Amino acid sequence: MCFKMRYSYIIENVMENENTHTIFFDADFNALPGQFIMVWVPGYGEIPLSLSCTGKPKAITIKAYNEPGMKLINYKKGDKLFYRGPYGNHFSLVDGKKLIIAAGSGIASMHPLIDDNSIIIESLKRASDIIFEKELKGRAIFTTDDGTLGIKGHVIDALKNVNLNDFDMIYVCGPELMMKSVFDFLKDKNVRAEFSLEREMKCAVGICDSCSVSGIQLCTEGPVFTN
Amino acid sequence: MCFKMRYSYIIENVMENENTHTIFFDADFNALPGQFIMVWVPGYGEIPLSLSCTGKPKAITIKAYNEPGMKLINYKKGDKLFYRGPYGNHFSLVDGKKLIIAAGSGIASMHPLIDDNSIIIESLKRASDIIFEKELKGRAIFTTDDGTLGIKGHVIDALKNVNLNDFDMIYVCGPELMMKSVFDFLKDKNVRAEFSLEREMKCAVGICDSCSVSGIQLCTEGPVFTN
Amino acid sequence: MDVSCNVSSIKLKNPLILASGILDENGYTMKKIIESGASAVVTKSIGIEERKGFETPVIYEEYPYFINAIGLSNPGIDAFASEMNILKGYNVIGSIFGTGPEDFSYLAMKMQEYGAIAVELNLSCPHVKGFGLEIGSDPDLVESIVSEVKSKVRIPVFAKLSPNTHDIIEEAKAARKADALVLINTLKAMKIDINARMPVLSNIYGGLSGKSIKPVGVRYVYEVSKEMNIPVIGVGGIESYEDVIEYIMAGASAVEIGTAIYRHGKGIFKEINNGILNFMKENKIESLSEIRGCALR
Amino acid sequence: MDVSCNVSSIKLKNPLILASGILDENGYTMKKIIESGASAVVTKSIGIEERKGFETPVIYEEYPYFINAIGLSNPGIDAFASEMNILKGYNVIGSIFGTGPEDFSYLAMKMQEYGAIAVELNLSCPHVKGFGLEIGSDPDLVESIVSEVKSKVRIPVFAKLSPNTHDIIEEAKAARKADALVLINTLKAMKIDINARMPVLSNIYGGLSGKSIKPVGVRYVYEVSKEMNIPVIGVGGIESYEDVIEYIMAGASAVEIGTAIYRHGKGIFKEINNGILNFMKENKIESLSEIRGCALR
Ligand SMILES: Cc1cc2nc3c(=O)[nH]c(=O)nc-3n(C[C@H](O)[C@H](O)[C@H](O)COP(=O)(O)OP(=O)(O)OC[C@H]3O[C@@H](n4cnc5c(N)ncnc54)[C@H](O)[C@@H]3O)c2cc1C
Ligand SMILES: Cc1cc2nc3c(=O)[nH]c(=O)nc-3n(C[C@H](O)[C@H](O)[C@H](O)COP(=O)(O)OP(=O)(O)OC[C@H]3O[C@@H](n4cnc5c(N)ncnc54)[C@H](O)[C@@H]3O)c2cc1C
Ligand SMILES: Cc1cc2nc3c(=O)[nH]c(=O)nc-3n(C[C@H](O)[C@H](O)[C@H](O)COP(=O)(O)O)c2cc1C
Ligand SMILES: Cc1cc2nc3c(=O)[nH]c(=O)nc-3n(C[C@H](O)[C@H](O)[C@H](O)COP(=O)(O)O)c2cc1C
Ligand code: FES
Ligand code: FES
């Protein structure tokens, strides 16, 4: 186990929408869907970001809110991306049918799970917030707050119409409130589900206590938990 | 490379003569003839000692002069022997006939080389100084200062009578004066010879400069040198 | 075989305490640590007011180095009441920091009220201006803080001293009224990333902890145990039962473990405890008091 | 690409100097080191009289720790003439130690007479009573030693300071008349063998060097470079070209390498030099001055 700070060169910076970018970089560490890295933007800070591609090349998909994020989405091909990791546990990989439930940038960590065997329920504020449009095409059920795409409403409104028994695994990532509502909805159904939690993370190695929930460190024992 | 202080249990302490003892200990590091260890006698000091047995069990043979030596020869079966190493390079192992030239406790480092294919020339002060008597039986030519065993005189007096071309390798260890005389004697002969040098050693890892000869550190680049 | 130990009037079932600043901001986390085998936990250092701490990055890791500049982030003593509540009945030592005797004694009284079994004065954090190190290097201030706190609380008072000093004995003597000394805090240090061409930590400087500092920690415990007659809790770079035994032979009454958790997880307390028991069995040691300070010459 | 550098008036073909105390008691050894690629060597610290140094064991090694208590063993300044003779024409920096201004200035003059290109004042050895650390922690004494030596010799004077301090800036200011500061010496530390139940080093305490102390060394170089305008030579834990670059980015004019030799051998100087050249090439750096101190904020 050695997580020293490293860097990789950026191969491509793809704008997904107004403030969301996917940054591909040339790294050869091994990682699994659900794991994250700590990205250091020298002079601006360090933030946890899920790997949105876990193969080769790797990628992160970031919705820029804060200073490091804003800086990051302006990185260019050939720039150095500094990071440490990968950290955390990962989603269970299953052979059968998968249901992916995402809201906002939560889709980033589940991007590596999308394949011909998966259906995605994604909830957005509005149609223009969509990312990974190409990958989602023909596989996704959308809900939007303003009804500009798919169902007007929340994930649960879409989830109600799905036959949960069709799926071998349900993956969920998004704002905590949304995950709570999905968790509650699934509670009395007999399904396998995994939730990826996001909390402030400072150390990512399980010693600073900033990401703890009920005595569990999300950075080392999570971020993925089962229902 | 990790030379941290370790210990092994002593299996047997064999008195070779008045103040020379062979101490067998149960260690499983790999070593070759000519290498040495730094033996720590807690509270008394640390001294370099050649391995007089390099297989299993290992052994050191010590002629006690100073405080740590005196303490060491009184160690009993079951006591802990503290040491670090093995250090240094080793004698070249050859298949053919070997001539071993030793004086005093110099024989210790060459003990592992003694076999049916070797002849030993050993010089002693007097007959009672002999050690490894059993192993030497029938293979050794002795010289003594007082004539109480073998030839009265020095190694060279014995060396003169030997046909050097019979040997594929000559090994030499003993006081520096004796080695110098052997070195000079062999200079114009066309033979392969290796000399094991002993100097004060403090660090044994090539940084304190206490064992240096002409800019070479005996502890790391020696103790074995070729003619 | 008996691994229990006493630090001043406190009896602990084993010598393994969680060090301040590591997994101890949250009541449930600390509970987990005690359930994992620690005999007590020291809380994160708590001050009068909430502090956010420094911007990220706040740690740099490259074994055997671990450098942190968390910056004394903490919720403030009032908000911390709720975490302490979760820990009722558990062995919690309240770590506190402040700028002078008033701060420290106020915080100590609060910790006592919250049920702490002892209070640990952080006189030694190396990277936060105005706290810790600057206090720790002023013997008069240390003396007045310790006296003041001692006069205000009934629970034992531990003083955690800085290793960033040239004369630990002077420092230790200034803190001699404490019921125990805690040695050591981190060494002031830093890391520059040569590819980014800048310091990694947002605060530039941080504190070096973990494996690298063990020989310094052992030396402080030894030096103080040799010169003074005061219980010492050893901290710094403990990763294995051998390290614990080394500190105990240097004179430590108990030890605190911090950084090692990131490599070994919370299981380290049970692991080390088992290691100690095995060592005692092999060496026919009945109680830790037989070997405490046995290396002192 | 240019790896040469200047330390005060001295021009070096590369920034890699052999540190004091490692393979530098013997003239032929030092010659070998220079021939292996070091741009200069610092001699073992030499005093007025011969000193045998401490009884063995004088080192303890367990990567990443290296602890030594050689005890300033040296042949005395008069006997050392013959070693210096072997080194005529080579870049030798004479390290000296003593108890006060007279000792130091006498020794410095001798070193100058022997052909040293500079003199390094060892104000910082942590484990020998009456020398080094005790001197280094007395700013007035440091100041008078540096002044006295400066007034007596023409060659540059370097002051090697102790990291066993709470305020390096105070120390550095006391030595400000020196032509360069050398940071850092070893950290006072120790090792207890738990099976022997005693300290390993005969002197009990020794100095921690090697990998473990690099973050402390870098921090001292950075802190002094930031606060003061004086050349600094970085020392402590350098094992690779990355470490050298890190020290240079922290502000070091050159570096000294010691302990790493036991793992990497004398070839380390060429190896590191090649590493630096590659790094410069990849990063399009023409001269080390482009990156010197570039991490300072
Ligand atoms: C394990 C893990 C994986 C993560 N993976 C990703 C990822 O792949 N892609 C990604 O974009 N982010 C991801 N994040 C979140 C990302 O790290 C944070 O957005 C970023 O660190 C800024 O967080 P902050 O809390 O410091 O925000 P601040 O700097 O405090 O942000 C300012 C404001 O923006 C809001 N905000 C911040 N982030 C979000 C968000 N994602 N959605 C809505 N509002 C937000 C905050 O609530 C706040 O009001 C991940 C976080 C974790 C813990
Ligand atoms: C690589 C190496 C391997 C060694 N292997 C062995 C070994 O296998 N067995 C062994 O017995 N010793 C061996 N020695 C020597 C042993 O380490 C020393 O005898 C011991 O360290 C004491 O040395 P000292 O110089 O400190 O003697 P001191 O403590 O100074 O000894 C006191 C006196 O005894 C004399 N003396 C010391 N050693 C000898 C000696 N061997 N013969 C005659 N006079 C002596 C000294 O000249 C001195 O006058 C080896 C040394 C080295 C460097
Ligand atoms: C992330 C981190 C945070 C720390 N925070 C504090 C703190 O708030 N108060 C304190 O007294 N010591 C703090 N320390 C120091 C530790 O308590 C301990 O003294 C030091 O890390 C040495 O022990 P270790 O090597 O076992 O970690 C912190 C250490 C680390 C690594
Ligand atoms: C075996 C040994 C002996 C040393 N002797 C001296 C000395 O005589 N004078 C001195 O100024 N520093 C001495 N030092 C300290 C080194 O010069 C250097 O400052 C320290 O070891 C840190 O550098 P390093 O980590 O590269 O070894 C010695 C260090 C070692 C390991
Ligand atoms: S981020 Fe520090 S414990 Fe998880
Ligand atoms: S014994 Fe130290 S260099 Fe050989």
Side-chain angles (χ1 to χ4, degrees), chain A residues 203 207-208, chain C residues 18-22 24 42-46 58-59 66-70 72-73 95-97 120-127 160 182-186 207-211 213-214 235-239 256-260:
Chain A
C203 76
I207 73 160
C208 77
Chain C
L18 175 73
S20 178
I22 292 97
D24 49 9
V42 183
T43 67
K44 181 163 266 224
S45 293
I46 306 294
V58 292
I59 69 141
F66 195 98
I67 312 179
N68 90 81
I70 302 280
L72 294 173
S73 69
S95 173
I96 55 178
F97 72 95
E120 185 177 290
L121 314 179
N122 179 355
L123 304 167
S124 49
C125 182
H127 51 267
K160 187 167 182 187
V182 182
L183 299 165
I184 58 178
N185 210 311
T186 54
L208 180 66
S209 64
K211 195 172 182 77
I213 70 168
K214 194 195 62 177
V235 204
I238 294 172
E239 286 201 334
E256 294 178 7
I257 298 174
T259 304

Side-chain angles (χ1 to χ4, degrees), chain A residues 21-57:
Chain A
H21 287 233
T22 295
I23 294 172
F24 293 90
F25 59 102
D26 186 27
D28 56 5
F29 59 82
N30 291 321
L32 288 165
Q35 289 195 289
F36 67 97
I37 57 177
M38 292 296 283
V39 174
W40 178 40
V41 187
Y44 296 86
E46 192 185 44
I47 52 175
L49 292 169
S50 304
L51 290 165
S52 58
C53 295
T54 50
K56 226 175 164 346

Side-chain angles (χ1 to χ4, degrees), chain C residues 128-164:
Chain C
V128 182
K129 278 226 168 77
F131 298 112
L133 180 54
E134 301 201 354
I135 288 177
S137 53
D138 177 345
D140 294 338
L141 187 52
V142 165
E143 186 156 358
S144 66
I145 291 170
V146 175
S147 296
E148 179 71 14
V149 174
K150 274 300 291 176
S151 74
K152 290 284 164 60
V153 297
R154 292 177 313 275
I155 54 177
V157 175
F158 303 161
K160 187 167 182 187
L161 303 180
S162 169
N164 301 280

Side-chain angles (χ1 to χ4, degrees), chain D residues 68-85:
Chain D
N68 90 81
I70 301 280
L72 294 174
S73 70
N74 81 97
I77 191 72
D78 292 335
F80 200 60
S82 59
E83 308 300 335
M84 292 294 286
N85 240 329

